[in-house]
Amino acid sequence: MFAAALFRNALRILVPLAVASTFYLYLYPVFLGCAFPLPQLLDQTEPPNTAAAAYQDTWKQHVLPSWSHAAPFRLLALGDPQLEGDTSIRNYNRESFPHLTWALRHLAFKTDQPSLRRRLRQVAHDLVDFWFDDIPNTAESVRKRIDLFGNDFYLAHIYRTLKWWARPTHVTVLGDLLGSQWIKEPEFNRRSWRFWNRSFRGGERVPDEVATWPAEEYELDGLLGVEDANATAWRKRIINVAGNHDVGYAGDLTVERLERFERVFGKAAYELRFELPITNPLANATIRDDDRNPDSSRLVPELRIVNVNNMNLDTPAADQSLQDKTYSFVNDVINTATAVEFQGHFTLVLTHIPLYKAEGVCVDAPYFSFHNGGGVKEQNQLSADASRGFLEGIFGLNGDPNAPGQGRGRRGVVLNGHDHEGCDTYHYINQTERDERQWRAMRWPSAQMDGLPGKAEVPGLREITVRSMMGGFGGNAGLLSVWFDEKDWEWRFEFANCALGTQYFWWFVHILDLITLAVLAVHFVLQIAWVDNESEPATTTSNSITAKSKKDRESVPVGNGTTKKL
């Protein structure tokens, strides 16, 4: 049969293509070699911190976990998912073909018109609008609804696949979880449901009792490198950062917007403390102890995560009380930090808006706009003054070489989103410039080539703006590894990026799979029908032969023309 042969030949092309593309899509981190960077010690002649070694170690985590050399803290950082909704659908909550409805009402004389001529002219106008407005708008609305549905699962695919393959110890979403701060409560609830039940299914918000305000006396939130129930709980939790599309900029941020965000996604400002146990008794003996070792500058290794809502750090703000609370939080972070002279603590700041950088360093240049009545309406970066609050306050960096710790500050890194293109930069200040010294920033690879990180009299800090996980920007995910170097008693870290690709490939694979299954089903039906058609004539012929044979047995001709029954 021609149709069956046609579908069979089509399957010879579709099946291998569908199988290969599906395997690649659902195992893309494996094919791309995505992995958390491995710990790298300064005294190693052949550092293992290469993509190949990290990839091989990730395989070991799946096959032989006890042989793994993975970092004790591995953060999966996702930026700006921005779940859209009703505001992106043209005819949401409206009639699909309003002009056709009005045309029919005019023809049925259910509207008031001064004359038949005016009535027919209005019908003609409505029919034109029906063809050129209603149909395109409805088609686009249907397309957008399908796109939103697919986008939820595209984001889910990135989160689920990397969580399975890379095995992070912690996960964060760096702001702009939703696509608009202006949405009303019902739409906010719908998008929040999609966030937790589709895109990040299986994830949990950080409990309020765990997300604590900075304090001198605190309880640890876990031990790094220890596999226990607490470590399992943190693999499920998502550290959500408040973004401008979640709560608004300083001129838009209100108590109501902040409260609904915190109710669904967790607190907008808090700290977490994790300790790394040291099993080496000789190393433990060097740790500061007021009785046995009071002169040591070494502290028990600790990693401090600070989730900062920096939406209203810059002025003017719509709600001064909220801004005062943010300032109070940052001040308490500074006041409860360890003195810069001590070693062993690491600060990881998670926030949304990037620090200030001169135009040309990253894709987004410094930009501010303000509401007519006052208040920040939009900004690409923090102001230079607000940025110094991070660099000189939270991290204790200083351009004065006579400052505590020679101005070198605390070990740490800043992770943020907002700039969808992403950017990896190094902020530094040259202490030798004296009166002309000022904060500068340059791309991280350039800073490495110039030898700036770790250079004497040039304190600095790395800031990583994670490229967006939205399909239009390639479906990115950041992989941050943080480990402890016992020899130098310092924390070290490295960052890698893993990109799935645009959402079009995700759609292509799933549409191809559906087409392949449909063609396979039709081919199966045609095969069944062809077999039935082939068997039916054979049965008829067999019956005819049987009948003829029986008749021949009943009468046999003889020589005089008479018959004789057998």
Side-chain angles (χ1 to χ4, degrees):
M1 181 187 286
F2 173 76
L6 179 64
F7 279 95
R8 183 168 57 252
N9 291 330
L11 286 173
R12 289 172 179 169
I13 300 174
L14 291 174
V15 170
L17 182 60
V19 170
S21 58
T22 302
F23 261 91
Y24 176 82
L25 177 64
Y26 281 85
L27 297 174
Y28 81 91
V30 183
F31 287 104
L32 294 177
C34 297
F36 280 100
L38 286 180
Q40 175 183 351
L41 304 181
L42 294 181
D43 59 345
Q44 290 178 324
T45 56
E46 295 182 3
N49 193 20
T50 63
Y55 180 72
Q56 293 171 7
D57 193 83
T58 305
W59 273 107
K60 290 181 181 178
Q61 293 181 50
H62 288 268
V63 181
L64 299 169
S66 60
W67 286 21
S68 173
H69 297 89
F73 180 82
R74 304 181 300 278
L75 179 68
L76 174 61
L78 304 168
D80 303 83
Q82 285 195 8
L83 269 65
E84 294 182 326
D86 61 354
T87 55
S88 62
I89 300 175
R90 291 186 180 179
N91 62 1
Y92 179 81
N93 211 22
R94 297 196 300 270
E95 188 178 353
S96 297
F97 305 106
H99 292 97
L100 178 62
T101 301
W102 278 106
L104 295 176
R105 287 174 59 85
H106 293 318
L107 289 173
F109 290 88
K110 293 183 178 180
T111 60
D112 294 330
Q113 295 293 339
S115 64
L116 179 61
R117 175 173 170 272
R118 290 287 298 273
R119 183 177 298 277
L120 294 177
R121 186 171 67 177
Q122 191 61 49
V123 169
H125 280 300
D126 286 331
L127 290 177
V128 170
D129 291 337
F130 164 71
W131 282 103
F132 292 99
D133 286 339
D134 291 356
I135 293 179
N137 286 341
T138 299
E140 172 58 23
S141 298
V142 172
R143 186 205 67 81
K144 189 60 182 179
R145 289 176 186 274
I146 297 173
D147 177 68
L148 293 176
F149 181 81
N151 183 69
D152 289 348
F153 291 100
Y154 167 82
L155 299 174
H157 181 72
I158 297 172
Y159 168 68
R160 180 182 61 246
T161 308
L162 277 172
K163 189 179 178 186
W164 159 76
W165 166 249
R167 296 199 168 186
T169 59
H170 298 76
V171 180
T172 182
V173 180
L174 297 166
D176 281 0
L177 286 63
L178 308 181
S180 174
Q181 71 271 34
W182 302 106
I183 55 178
K184 296 181 179 179
E185 194 72 17
E187 177 61 17
F188 177 85
N189 293 332
R190 280 191 290 269
R191 297 193 196 187
S192 301
W193 183 92
R194 288 164 48 201
F195 181 93
W196 289 116
N197 294 276
R198 288 183 186 171
S199 299
F200 295 89
R201 185 174 183 177
E204 302 173 359
R205 70 193 287 276
V206 177
D208 290 345
E209 62 273 15
V210 175
T212 57
W213 193 270
E216 292 285 352
E217 299 293 331
Y218 55 86
E219 293 184 4
L220 292 174
D221 296 295
L223 298 177
L224 299 178
V226 177
E227 291 299 325
D228 55 10
N230 188 56
T232 302
W234 275 109
R235 287 192 175 92
K236 295 180 181 179
R237 292 169 181 165
I238 299 178
I239 304 172
N240 290 315
V241 177
N244 55 288
H245 287 303
D246 303 315
V247 298
Y249 292 105
D252 311 319
L253 181 56
T254 61
V255 173
E256 292 75 21
R257 289 191 178 119
L258 185 61
E259 284 181 347
R260 73 179 186 183
F261 174 86
E262 294 187 325
R263 169 175 50 85
V264 176
F265 299 109
K267 291 182 180 178
Y270 57 89
E271 73 164 9
L272 303 169
R273 302 260 190 168
F274 297 92
E275 186 178 294
L276 178 68
I278 299 297
T279 57
N280 185 347
L282 296 178
N284 270 322
T286 65
I287 296 177
R288 179 184 176 88
D289 185 276
D290 291 338
D291 297 327
R292 293 173 299 176
N293 200 7
D295 297 328
S296 175
S297 63
R298 293 186 170 187
L299 302 177
V300 176
E302 188 176 289
L303 187 148
R304 185 190 199 189
I305 299 177
V306 182
N307 184 355
V308 182
N309 172 24
N310 67 356
M311 290 300 100
N312 58 355
L313 281 179
D314 286 304
T315 56
D319 191 315
Q320 189 60 48
S321 64
L322 291 179
Q323 189 174 64
D324 291 342
K325 187 176 181 180
T326 300
Y327 288 161
S328 177
F329 175 82
V330 173
N331 288 331
D332 286 345
V333 170
I334 297 171
N335 294 331
T336 56
T338 305
V340 294
E341 294 89 350
F342 290 100
Q343 296 174 286
H345 284 196
F346 185 90
T347 303
L348 169 61
V349 170
L350 305 177
T351 189
H352 183 64
I353 301 177
L355 305 183
Y356 173 83
K357 291 171 284 287
E359 184 176 359
V361 176
C362 297
V363 173
D364 281 355
Y367 172 77
F368 272 87
S369 66
F370 302 91
H371 292 289
N372 292 331
V376 178
K377 181 180 180 181
E378 185 178 358
Q379 62 184 115
N380 287 346
Q381 302 173 0
L382 293 178
S383 65
D385 290 336
S387 299
R388 279 198 299 271
F390 282 83
L391 298 170
E392 299 179 2
I394 295 177
F395 290 97
L397 299 164
N398 201 302
D400 184 2
N402 298 317
Q406 297 178 331
R408 304 200 61 81
R410 304 177 182 90
R411 299 284 296 180
V413 64
V414 175
L415 256 64
N416 48 44
H418 196 54
D419 185 345
H420 297 166
E421 297 289 345
C423 198
D424 194 350
T425 55
Y426 187 71
H427 298 263
Y428 66 96
I429 186 168
N430 193 337
Q431 295 176 338
T432 63
E433 293 181 346
R434 304 296 178 181
D435 296 336
E436 297 180 359
R437 56 195 174 206
Q438 59 180 324
W439 283 103
R440 296 183 176 89
M442 64 192 313
R443 290 287 184 121
W444 175 249
S446 300
Q448 285 183 303
M449 291 181 61
D450 294 345
L452 291 179
K455 186 177 180 180
E457 298 182 316
V458 185
L461 179 76
R462 187 175 176 184
E463 176 197 13
I464 302 171
T465 300
V466 180
R467 187 174 169 90
S468 173
M469 71 181 300
M470 289 189 288
F473 295 89
N476 297 271
L479 306 174
L480 177 73
S481 293
V482 184
W483 64 91
F484 189 72
D485 186 345
E486 287 188 18
K487 182 179 179 181
D488 293 335
W489 214 256
E490 292 286 0
W491 287 89
R492 308 194 187 281
F493 68 94
E494 195 48 74
F495 179 84
N497 189 70
C498 184
L500 165 61
T502 65
Q503 74 275 29
Y504 302 116
F505 176 71
W506 186 91
W507 277 109
F508 167 78
V509 172
H510 288 92
I511 292 174
L512 177 64
D513 289 344
L514 290 175
I515 293 174
T516 303
L517 291 175
V519 172
L520 188 63
V522 173
H523 176 68
F524 179 76
V525 172
L526 290 176
Q527 285 291 103
I528 296 296
W530 182 78
V531 170
D532 291 342
N533 291 336
E534 286 293 315
S535 61
E536 184 176 348
T539 303
T540 304
T541 303
S542 176
N543 292 339
S544 300
I545 293 174
T546 303
K548 182 177 179 180
S549 299
K550 183 177 180 181
K551 181 179 179 182
D552 291 342
R553 287 197 303 270
E554 290 177 352
S555 60
V556 180
V558 296
N560 60 4
T562 62
T563 61
K564 180 181 179 181
K565 291 186 178 180
L566 298 179

